[in-house]
Amino acid sequence: MVEAMDILRANLSRVRIPEPTNRIFKHECCVSFDTPKSEGGLYVDMSSFLAFGKDFVQWNYEKTRNPVYLHIKQTKKVVAEDRPSKKPTILAIGVEGGFGSGEPDYEESYSIVILPDYASLPFPSVELPEKVRLAVDAILLAEDAERKEQVAAWVAEKQVSAYALGLPQIDNGIVVPPSGWKCAKCDKTDNLWLNLTDGTILCGRKNWDGTGGNNHAVEHYNETKYPLAVKLGTITADLEAADVFSYAEDESVIDPLLSQHLAHFGIDFSSLQKTEMTTAERELDQNTNFDWNRIQESAEALQPIFGPGYTGLVNLGNSCYLAATMQVAYTAHAFMSRYYANQSLKSAFDAAPADPTVDLNMQLAKLGHGLLSGRYSIPSSEKQEGIPPRMFKTVIAASHPEFSTTRQQDALEFFLHLLEQVERVNAGNPKLDPSRNFKFGIEDRIQCPSGKVTYNRRSDYILSLNIPLHEATNKDQLEAFQKLKSQAESEGKEMAAGEVVRPRVPLEACLASYSAPEEVMDFFSTALKAKTTATKTTGLTSFPDYLVLHMRKFVMEDGWVPKKLDVYIDVPDIIDISHMRSNGLRPGEELLPESGGDILVLSSGDAEAESTRLVADELIVSQLLSMGFGRLPCEKASIFTNNAGVEEAMNWLLTHMDDSDINDPISHTSQNAAVYVDPSSVEVLISFGFQEELARKALTAMGGDIEKATDWIFNNPDASSTSDMDTSSSGAAAADAELPDGSGRYRLLGFVSHMGTSTHCGHYVAHIYKDGKWVLYNDEKVGASVNPPKDMGYLYFFERLAD
């Protein structure tokens, strides 16, 4: 021990005492899913505060030469089998006097370990240098970084209180001590709130199960209307983590003047330690501890599967969209080879920056090894635990504000975001990029009555399909069901769930609908110099290694209400899309002439928008002319306001009369730059749940028409993520040459299903065909699927068959 102490003293310069702003990891290894409960425990680097499992800490030492580590080991407590269980005295779970949570108890032990020889010293010990003792105490007391980021996501929308800046504070001489608090109206000594106006300390609200406070703080607000209170025990040197609640706004808020408000009552926040959970932390615990098995009783019959490739993902709170999508992604050989078979954790860690928790490549490798190695899927008498993808979620969501929250998200949007980020980080070496295996070229061919054509090419990761309900194969059963339903409703009865008949539409019909000819109304033909009706067809210029089909089950009903189609899709195990290939300009075809060097836009929506921009409403123009304005400015006003009306055009004119180019000829460029979008129309689409950028894009494409814009969004789900390719024939051909291509025959690899009325609520699960059987992945649960619901998928993943 003397020798170990000497080694420690020689390395004291490599020990840091963490500051409140430091990110501290002590619950999970940053390159694996090892925890203090793992066989070798967890080693916390006492310089960088990163944590490593037993098999990985040597890598960190070799890379950083940081030798001093805090070793944390949790060992399950032995409980005597004959020990009588206590009778619950309150209706609560996991608290003193309540029902047991079912989770085993663990004992935690600590030691100081110095590498490379793993010399060990016990902790706590008065013989340790003071700097080491202070550093360890600070690490153990600090909020874990993963936990901190989870809580931050949970309260991502917390706003500055409207009452904070002008908050009145009464000069009543109250000085709040640093400890020993008690409610002014009862004997409660926990869950206490300090009113920031008068300094009164009162207990919080009473919970539904009888725990919590006695409502004295909220009653005080009702009597005084003093709005803000801070929870005692959450105030530390990191003031941003303090729990401030606004009773007037009925939510947790930010108080930018909190230090000033605390100082009024003599509180020195820099010396306080955290002793209470914040409201957000309590909500997070309740959400993540929720046991889905209590709701999904069918899961009890699930036969668990263990081993490599059969590891589940823990639900972090509405993260099932991520879990289902990543399980299918890592079944694809492209992801499997890039982030598991051909990427060791060691090489990923060596290539990562100083903090591997923020490196997407490292976290994708960590997730790949966690899911596919079998290290965390070992048969035991206990339930399947799965692995928590916290670090991966943090880094993949860093560039997307929605995925950073704990709200439910659309699995389609997440998958597209994943592929975009994977493509970005592999930009320097596209041959290693697994996203390109999902990418394919699309070609739109549009022909006007002159017989001339034009082509537009783009690339995408998803083939999004409409569901032609008129192609249902069970029309007779549907008609009979509708009669029974009408009869039951007239008698005031409801149909039993087992009696409901849903349309059955073959996948072949959905694919045929995608490539079927489509009329483009009011298309401006550069050959005819007039509006006309053209015909558009769409095909694929390349077939990807993995074909992902998105079923457009969400449509817009009358009254702008999103509705999920209650429909079954009959999906075969093998499909052939060879007939969907498009080969560009055909022999004997003549291209439409270009107008002023501008490239023609070929989608029906953009064609309508192009024609709308080219032609001004003569009625609007004539009324403006009668007011004395010149013809060219009047035409511009009509075009740039999308022919919305005389008043809108007049307002535009009055705003732009002094523009230097007001009398210049109208050009395509100026029209695109100045197109007018009614802010109220944008707000309407935002209220439907669409993002502002997408709403503006749709309204611009559809000339400001809300109904057409809504339809455009649903018909272009990739509008915000599709990358346009070079529309010239040579550029498009070159881009296509870089994409994978081959046979049009595919085998069903897996599918993601959605339960719920909206993509932003409900639950996602994945079914994957693996090792000759169908397997269900439902968060942390993995089991054999007896009857996979292939007709209820939202996203279908197909793997191309060998030529």
Side-chain angles (χ1 to χ4, degrees):
M1 180 172 174
V2 174
E3 183 181 352
M5 187 68 74
D6 291 339
I7 298 173
L8 175 60
R9 292 185 185 280
N11 287 283
L12 277 182
S13 62
R14 308 303 295 270
V15 175
R16 293 172 56 214
I17 300 174
E19 300 291 335
T21 54
N22 288 137
R23 299 169 74 233
I24 297 172
F25 296 87
K26 55 183 178 179
H27 289 149
E28 182 179 300
C29 173
C30 59
V31 297
S32 75
F33 290 92
D34 286 0
T35 71
K37 298 183 180 72
S38 300
E39 183 180 355
L42 206 60
Y43 294 79
V44 180
D45 184 333
M46 294 189 67
S47 180
S48 68
F49 311 120
L50 295 170
F52 299 88
K54 179 183 178 182
D55 296 337
F56 314 101
V57 64
Q58 183 71 29
W59 301 351
N60 184 63
Y61 170 72
E62 294 169 357
K63 184 175 182 178
T64 66
R65 290 297 163 183
N66 292 338
V68 185
Y69 295 82
L70 169 63
H71 183 233
I72 306 175
K73 183 71 176 79
Q74 292 180 346
T75 307
K76 192 182 300 181
K77 290 183 179 179
V78 178
V79 180
E81 295 183 4
D82 58 348
R83 188 183 73 176
S85 58
K86 293 183 179 180
K87 182 178 180 180
T89 57
I90 61 172
L91 187 61
I93 298 175
V95 299
E96 184 66 27
F99 293 91
S101 65
E103 295 293 330
D105 292 329
Y106 288 85
E107 288 181 331
E108 198 161 71
S109 60
Y110 313 102
S111 61
I112 305 299
V113 175
I114 306 102
L115 268 62
D117 297 325
Y118 291 86
S120 180
L121 294 165
F123 181 89
S125 171
V126 294
E127 296 182 9
L128 289 171
E130 182 183 20
K131 184 179 181 181
V132 174
R133 285 185 277 124
L134 290 174
V136 173
D137 287 340
I139 290 172
L140 297 179
L141 286 171
E143 189 82 73
D144 185 81
E146 300 106 308
R147 170 73 172 185
K148 205 170 188 178
E149 286 160 1
Q150 264 194 293
V151 174
W154 197 260
V155 295
E157 291 150 47
K158 193 160 70 169
Q159 303 294 322
V160 173
S161 172
Y163 298 88
L165 297 182
L167 184 73
Q169 288 194 287
I170 300 173
D171 190 8
N172 53 14
I174 289 180
V175 176
V176 177
S179 60
W181 311 300
K182 188 171 78 72
C183 176
K185 294 187 177 180
C186 69
D187 294 328
K188 293 288 292 183
T189 57
D190 60 347
N191 190 20
L192 298 176
W193 295 79
L194 170 69
N195 189 285
L196 291 173
T197 293
D198 63 5
T200 307
I201 297 175
L202 298 159
C203 60
R205 303 182 197 234
K206 180 176 292 187
N207 298 325
W208 63 271
D209 59 3
T211 62
N214 292 316
N215 294 327
H216 288 145
V218 68
E219 289 173 1
H220 184 66
Y221 163 72
N222 292 331
E223 295 169 3
T224 64
K225 298 304 177 185
Y226 298 154
L228 300 185
V230 61
K231 189 172 186 180
L232 296 173
T234 69
I235 304 168
T236 66
D238 183 9
L239 268 188
E240 290 183 3
D243 193 3
V244 180
F245 191 86
S246 172
Y247 290 103
E249 294 156 299
D250 196 26
E251 61 183 354
S252 293
V253 296
I254 297 171
D255 178 3
L257 302 179
L258 183 57
S259 61
Q260 176 183 319
H261 293 155
L262 293 173
H264 180 83
F265 299 109
I267 297 177
D268 177 11
F269 60 86
S270 64
S271 62
L272 296 180
Q273 298 292 333
K274 183 171 179 178
T275 59
E276 287 270 4
M277 293 176 70
T278 66
T279 305
E281 288 168 336
R282 287 192 181 278
E283 290 178 358
L284 178 62
D285 273 3
Q286 290 166 5
N287 188 276
T288 53
N289 290 336
F290 189 78
D291 191 351
W292 283 96
N293 273 326
R294 303 298 174 91
I295 298 175
Q296 300 176 21
E297 296 183 18
S298 57
E300 295 176 5
L302 194 69
Q303 182 63 42
I305 303 178
F306 297 90
Y310 298 107
T311 304
L313 288 169
V314 174
N315 194 314
L316 305 176
N318 289 326
S319 63
C320 54
Y321 68 91
L322 179 151
T325 303
M326 296 312 298
Q327 290 287 8
V328 184
Y330 277 104
T331 303
H333 180 74
F335 269 86
M336 190 185 304
S337 60
R338 173 67 178 90
Y339 295 113
Y340 177 63
N342 298 330
Q343 171 87 92
S344 69
L345 286 174
K346 179 70 163 61
S347 62
F349 176 70
D350 288 342
D355 185 353
T357 68
V358 298
D359 183 60
L360 181 58
N361 181 67
M362 176 70 252
Q363 294 310 313
L364 281 166
K366 169 181 172 176
L367 186 60
H369 282 258
L371 291 175
L372 301 174
S373 67
R375 181 184 179 103
Y376 305 100
S377 181
I378 301 172
S380 69
S381 58
E382 300 176 8
K383 65 179 182 179
Q384 291 174 304
E385 293 185 354
I387 54 178
R390 293 190 191 95
M391 292 184 189
F392 167 72
K393 184 175 186 291
T394 297
V395 70
I396 194 68
S399 57
H400 196 294
E402 278 300 308
F403 298 133
S404 298
T405 71
T406 51
R407 290 191 297 265
Q408 183 65 280
Q409 303 295 334
D410 185 354
L412 169 65
E413 292 180 10
F414 176 75
F415 182 64
L416 288 171
H417 176 69
L418 168 72
L419 295 184
E420 288 169 1
Q421 294 304 303
V422 168
E423 182 180 34
R424 178 183 60 80
V425 297
N426 287 283
N429 197 342
K431 291 184 178 180
L432 293 178
D433 179 12
S435 73
R436 68 185 299 274
N437 297 85
F438 294 83
K439 204 170 193 178
F440 55 91
I442 299 175
E443 184 173 72
D444 292 324
R445 175 186 182 274
I446 190 165
Q447 180 175 3
C448 81
S450 70
K452 297 180 180 180
V453 298
T454 188
Y455 287 86
N456 182 52
R457 287 186 174 187
R458 62 188 187 277
S459 62
D460 209 336
Y461 295 115
I462 298 283
L463 197 61
S464 191
L465 303 177
N466 287 320
I467 302 173
L469 294 177
H470 63 278
E471 296 288 351
T473 56
N474 59 338
K475 292 178 181 176
D476 292 341
Q477 293 94 321
L478 285 169
E479 186 177 344
F481 166 70
Q482 288 299 332
K483 289 180 180 178
L484 287 174
K485 183 180 178 182
S486 299
Q487 181 180 346
E489 289 176 349
S490 66
E491 298 173 357
K493 300 178 182 178
E494 292 186 4
M495 300 288 290
E499 298 176 320
V500 175
V501 177
R502 296 173 176 83
R504 283 197 168 275
V505 179
L507 179 63
E508 292 87 342
C510 302
L511 292 167
S513 176
Y514 180 86
S515 54
E518 173 189 349
E519 284 192 342
V520 180
M521 308 299 293
D522 295 327
F523 173 75
F524 185 85
S525 169
T526 54
L528 302 176
K529 304 294 184 184
K531 287 184 178 181
T532 184
T533 299
T535 303
K536 186 188 80 169
T537 54
T538 302
L540 275 60
T541 59
S542 63
F543 294 146
D545 294 334
Y546 295 93
L547 177 68
V548 183
L549 304 182
H550 162 235
M551 309 312 300
R552 295 180 180 171
K553 290 189 173 184
F554 295 92
V555 297
M556 195 64 79
E557 275 191 320
D558 294 338
W560 313 107
V561 179
K563 173 190 175 183
K564 182 179 180 181
L565 294 178
D566 197 6
V567 60
Y568 292 133
I569 308 296
D570 287 329
V571 179
D573 290 331
I574 305 293
I575 63 171
D576 191 338
I577 62 168
S578 300
H579 63 282
M580 297 180 69
R581 186 180 286 276
S582 180
N583 295 308
L585 192 67
R586 303 168 188 172
E589 285 186 336
E590 185 178 351
L591 290 172
L592 279 165
E594 294 183 358
S595 176
D598 289 321
I599 297 172
L600 287 173
V601 184
L602 300 177
S603 71
S604 60
D606 286 348
E608 286 190 36
E610 178 70 11
S611 61
T612 303
R613 289 193 291 268
L614 286 171
V615 182
D617 188 316
E618 272 302 319
L619 182 61
I620 295 175
V621 172
S622 62
Q623 291 190 53
L624 293 176
L625 285 171
S626 67
M627 299 176 191
F629 297 107
R631 181 168 189 85
L632 201 51
C634 293
E635 289 180 349
K636 279 189 175 182
S638 181
I639 290 172
F640 291 163
T641 56
N642 293 316
N643 295 323
V646 176
E647 184 179 352
E648 288 82 356
M650 170 67 79
N651 290 335
W652 187 93
L653 262 179
L654 294 176
T655 304
H656 294 273
M657 279 305 296
D658 294 331
D659 291 357
S660 59
D661 61 349
I662 188 65
N663 290 305
D664 291 350
I666 300 171
S667 68
H668 292 283
T669 303
S670 65
Q671 292 170 39
N672 289 336
V675 67
Y676 171 83
V677 176
D678 187 347
S680 63
S681 299
V682 176
E683 289 299 322
V684 170
L685 290 182
I686 291 175
S687 70
F688 295 159
F690 303 124
Q691 295 181 356
E692 181 177 353
E693 182 182 354
L694 184 59
R696 289 187 178 278
K697 188 174 183 179
L699 287 166
T700 300
M702 292 290 98
D705 187 299
I706 294 178
E707 183 175 359
K708 289 182 179 179
T710 305
D711 186 59
W712 186 90
I713 290 173
F714 278 97
N715 289 331
N716 295 272
D718 54 337
S720 60
S721 55
T722 300
S723 56
D724 291 337
M725 295 165 58
D726 190 335
T727 52
S728 68
S729 57
S730 59
D736 277 358
E738 298 174 0
L739 297 177
D741 199 4
S743 164
R745 296 184 70 246
Y746 290 86
R747 177 183 65 84
L748 184 61
L749 177 69
F751 58 95
V752 172
S753 303
H754 173 263
M755 297 170 280
T757 57
S758 164
T759 53
H760 296 287
C761 68
H763 188 57
Y764 289 96
V765 298
H767 285 79
I768 300 172
Y769 190 74
K770 186 175 290 189
D771 299 331
K773 60 183 177 295
W774 280 99
V775 181
L776 168 64
Y777 292 81
N778 183 6
D779 289 335
E780 73 275 9
K781 295 183 286 292
V782 181
S785 175
V786 179
N787 187 24
K790 290 189 288 183
D791 51 6
M792 297 180 69
Y794 175 57
L795 299 176
Y796 291 94
F797 292 74
F798 287 86
E799 182 178 28
R800 187 171 58 219
L801 293 171
D803 294 336

